[in-house]
Amino acid sequence: MIQTDIIIIGAGPTGLFAVFEAGLLKLRCHIIDALPQPGGQLAELYPKKPIFDIPGYPSVGAGELVDNLMEQIKQFEPGFTLAEQATTIDKQEDDTFIVTTNKGTQVHGKAVAIAGGLGSFEPRKPLIDNLADYEEKGVEYFVKNPEQFRDKKIVIAGGGDSALDWSIFLAEVAAEVTLIHRRNEFRGALDSVDKVIELKKQGKINLVTPAEVVGIKGDGKVEALVIEKEGETFDIATDYFIPLFGLSPKLGPIANWGLEIEKNAIKVNNALDYQTNIEGIYAIGDVNTYPGKLKLILCGFHEATLMCQSVYNKLNPGKKFVLKYTTVSGVDGFDGTRKEAEKAVVKAID
Ligand SMILES: Cc1cc2nc3c(=O)[nH]c(=O)nc-3n(C[C@H](O)[C@H](O)[C@H](O)COP(=O)(O)OP(=O)(O)OC[C@H]3O[C@@H](n4cnc5c(N)ncnc54)[C@H](O)[C@@H]3O)c2cc1C
């Protein structure tokens, strides 16, 4: 079992910055996120958008802010469990916690900080009767590791940036890439559409439009898809079906953890430390609610800071904490490298 001080659920900006504030107090963190990459909404919904209300940055790209946060926390060597959803929190008799994920990973810690934002991003699924029978048996909703598709036949469905970008990328990896979209026009970037058309001309992508996948065939795993195109149906043999229809956030398991929920968010004590109704479990960032709450990155950073101070005081009763500015004290314990942080992320994804 993974051991840590603070178990952080959610690797959005709030969860990432919490690692930094905890590190200043010599508290270790382990972060769990359902997505395969850190960054929460910034990475998933608007990586290219500039943000104008981060203090000290007149403008910063959302993706760049995530990279900077990762850079800032690498020195504290947080653990990452990515592409796994935290499903249960069990409070132990000694007031510590065990968080378990949908893949069975268990993390034991002295406090839990839920930084779950709008909840877990869940894939929008196509309406195909037997879809669930083939999940993880050839049906994949994320491309976590492109190597999985090397020299395989794959069918991607969708008309947005993800479907286009992965078709382009995997054209160099897979044995055969078919892109299916129900319209002739794509919603993604024009440049990507042009690339897909170019790859089609080169015979590297089969483009099937306007068409839909309406059935899956295979003995225990995906072997073929049934395609409907202009009133006719036919089969395409494939090893994988990757529907990329976007993600929608759902509070998910957070709603079942015995926490006080109001309007899809967790009620916290904002007068003190953003603790929930269960002692030792905090909720910070977009996932919480209190009078005057603002769902902004800046507010998540503030809440993360007070949460860490509260955990420190709980774990060190009676020990006087002297607040030092980092400009005065520096940041102790710096010995990690970006490579190590990246290795940890890659390992977590694998
Ligand atoms: C288009 C857009 C533009 C925006 N622009 C701005 C802006 O300019 N300025 C600004 O301040 N804010 C902006 N925001 C809001 C900002 O993105 C949010 O306030 C911020 O992302 C909240 O960060 P967070 O870390 O609390 O949550 P999120 O970023 O939502 O991260 C939460 C993470 O928790 C994970 N998670 C949830 N439940 C579980 C679970 N059970 N197990 C594992 N993982 C879980 C999710 O997968 C997610 O990665 C914008 C939002 C959008 C959509």
Side-chain angles (χ1 to χ4, degrees), residues 9-16 32-35 37 39-42 45-46 49-54 84-87 115-121 250-254 257 284-287 295-298 300:
I9 299 172
T14 306
L16 295 178
I32 301 169
D33 202 297
L35 292 173
Q37 78 280 328
Q41 293 173 51
L42 286 72
L45 301 181
Y46 59 103
K49 178 188 170 289
I51 305 174
F52 301 104
D53 54 355
I54 302 297
E84 295 189 28
Q85 186 183 47
T87 46
L118 306 174
S120 303
F121 289 93
K250 297 224 167 66
L251 202 51
I254 294 175
W257 293 341
I284 52 176
D286 274 16
V287 81
K295 291 193 185 211
L296 286 175
I297 298 164
L298 172 79

